[in-house]
Amino acid sequence: MSHYPPPSPAPWAAPSSRPPASVPPGRDRVAGPLLVASVLCTGLMAGLFFAYDISVMPGLAELDDRTYAAAMQRFNAVIDGSALFGMVFLATLGLTVASAIVAFRKKRHAVAVPLVVAAVCYLAVLVITVAVNLPLNAELAALGNTATAKDLPAVIEDFKSVWVPVNAVRTVLCVLSLGALCSALLRYGRATATAPFRPV
């Protein structure tokens, strides 16, 4: 029988099991990414509408009616055929609504309220686009070849007098939505920074 004690495990030996992973205090894996994605998508839409307000439409206004109509027909055709635009255009509302739902479920009402405001503003953008901008785009496309279109002056006059100011309204609504989202993101950051630590 040996009088030597059994060898002790090496101090550098890896533990048999690791402690469960945890997230930072008060944070989760869904709310933060949803908020950031909502801000990014809304910012892209606001930037698109703003670019039309300050560059595209003023530049086109300096052209004759036939060139104006042909250019807008091409712009509309490219945007309508862009899967990326369609995805961002629709996903913006979905992400914002999802963020609001998560905030309400987490009982973060200070975060949820500006998210509801952001969702309502962007929903108004969608309604205006479907009710006003798309029908005007369709009328412009129905002209066909602008070199032979007969009703060109009347269609272009209606287009300029309605589409341009309505697009400015869409820009303002998108900016308001973006501001509300930024407020929600800041409130989320403050709320999660002071929340108690809860391991997953």
Side-chain angles (χ1 to χ4, degrees):
M1 181 175 180
S2 173
H3 296 285
Y4 295 99
S8 58
W12 58 83
S16 57
S17 62
R18 294 182 178 181
S22 61
V23 293
R27 297 185 186 272
D28 56 66
R29 294 184 177 90
V30 176
L34 274 177
L35 270 171
V36 172
S38 300
V39 170
L40 291 176
C41 287
T42 306
L44 287 173
M45 294 309 304
L48 174 65
F49 295 141
F50 183 64
Y52 267 86
D53 289 334
I54 66 169
S55 61
V56 176
M57 304 315 291
L60 290 179
E62 298 179 2
L63 305 175
D64 62 89
D65 286 350
R66 297 191 186 281
T67 307
Y68 181 104
M72 278 303 299
Q73 284 176 339
R74 293 308 308 149
F75 291 153
N76 292 334
V78 170
I79 288 181
D80 290 345
S82 171
L84 179 59
F85 168 77
M87 180 181 66
V88 174
F89 184 63
L90 297 176
T92 300
L93 180 61
L95 289 168
T96 304
V97 171
S99 297
I101 292 173
V102 170
F104 274 118
R105 288 183 174 178
K106 296 288 184 180
K107 300 188 183 304
R108 295 184 180 127
H109 296 103
V111 178
V113 170
L115 286 173
V116 171
V117 173
V120 170
C121 288
Y122 193 77
L123 178 61
V125 172
L126 291 181
V127 172
I128 290 172
T129 300
V130 172
V132 180
N133 295 89
L134 291 183
L136 288 172
N137 291 347
E139 288 182 14
L140 199 62
L143 289 173
N145 189 347
T146 59
T148 58
K150 296 180 180 180
D151 298 330
L152 181 63
V155 173
I156 291 300
E157 183 60 30
D158 289 343
F159 189 91
K160 289 180 179 180
S161 63
V162 178
W163 199 99
V164 173
V166 166
N167 189 71
V169 173
R170 292 194 297 179
T171 302
V172 171
L173 288 170
C174 271
V175 171
L176 290 175
S177 181
L178 181 61
L181 283 168
C182 290
S183 174
L185 189 59
L186 290 173
R187 295 180 182 196
Y188 171 79
R190 288 196 294 266
T192 55
T194 58
F197 177 80
R198 292 193 301 268
V200 175

